[in-house]
Amino acid sequence: MTSYEPSNDPGAGPVYDVVVLAGGAARRLGGADKPGVRVGGRALLDRVLAACADADTTVVVADPRPTARPVTWAREDPPGGGPLAALAAGLGHTTARYVLVLSADLPFLQEGTVRLLLTVLRTGGADGVLLTDADGRDQPLVAAYRVPSLRHELTALTKEHGALTGLPLRRLTAALDLTRVPDPVASFDCDTWDDIATARARIREHGHVLDEWISAVKDELGIDLDVDTGVLLDLARDAAHGVARPAAPLTTFLVGYAAAQAGGSPEAVAEASRKAAALALRWADEAEEDPATPNGASGTGPDAG
């Protein structure tokens, strides 16, 4: 067993499938529909699905429900048979050599963590790579595994016990060679209402709220576009200061519309932002030329009295 300290540049990972276990009873939440509980305006399950959107196949082991992107549904037999039975049911729909295995209650899982897990797995020799939480505990449902290793051990457990129903997940992980990656944030899961409250509070902290909000809006609108938020914020500031405060949201809307008309690429957003920012600065310059006149009006135009 080895440990691994994450780097800041994990790089692109290999082709992979995903199995999300979302059919638990959520007893510590009073039987609530945990995958559907919203954090930052998005269901926990949808937040998890957003982090692994580039997977070849995404299997969710649970009863079907509306999701932000298409998935394949599976169910262990009998339902409620535990994580090993659910994992085996999900693996039956996968074809890639690597599989990401996730729970459906990870509010802070990000694409970068997914890439890191898969890259460490691909470049190392272990059977799997999992996160450890703030207390150093293994989180086998935030992990990437080699599918042949999983299938081999699940088959062995089935032969030994007759079925996987009711078996704890540690029966599987104890038989695997695992690499550990410490990450107290991405490994944070929501087992209780206190956990839900903690997650909701964290995403509203100053250092996180804008990224969380933009990600939620993109999911809600069904768009996948990476833009320089700093450029847009600077534009809004320039429009508010150089023209009028209501100009800020209206200008950013018009920039988005213009960028969409030009093809909708990040480059189109940057170019439209540049033009609008330059215009706002010209307005501000006019106001400075005659500071006694609001909004840059010089008092010398055709309507001047």
Side-chain angles (χ1 to χ4, degrees), residues 196-216:
I196 296 291
T198 297
R200 287 172 171 169
R202 185 181 188 277
I203 67 169
R204 292 179 179 274
E205 293 174 358
H206 178 70
H208 308 287
V209 66
L210 284 181
D211 287 341
E212 288 284 351
W213 172 246
I214 291 168
S215 179

Side-chain angles (χ1 to χ4, degrees), residues 7-59:
S7 93
N8 292 326
D9 183 17
V15 173
Y16 71 103
D17 293 334
V18 178
V19 174
V20 181
L21 307 188
R27 293 183 181 87
R28 296 172 69 185
L29 287 176
D33 174 27
K34 182 160 67 169
V37 172
R38 295 186 179 276
V39 172
R42 291 184 290 169
L44 282 170
L45 176 57
D46 284 336
R47 295 179 70 90
V48 171
L49 294 177
C52 52
D54 61 343
D56 266 23
T57 299
T58 300
V59 185

Side-chain angles (χ1 to χ4, degrees), residues 78-146:
L84 284 188
L87 175 57
L91 281 179
H93 297 271
T94 65
T95 57
R97 179 175 179 80
Y98 305 104
V99 64
L100 194 70
V101 178
L102 304 170
S103 61
D105 60 350
L106 304 167
F108 306 125
L109 185 67
Q110 299 289 331
E111 294 177 8
T113 304
V114 168
R115 290 194 299 269
L116 174 62
L117 288 170
L118 291 163
T119 300
V120 175
L121 180 63
R122 176 175 56 84
T123 57
D127 297 317
V129 180
L130 53 75
L131 297 189
T132 56
D133 65 15
D135 296 319
R137 293 173 299 199
D138 288 354
Q139 297 297 312
L141 296 183
V142 200
Y145 298 96
R146 299 182 190 274

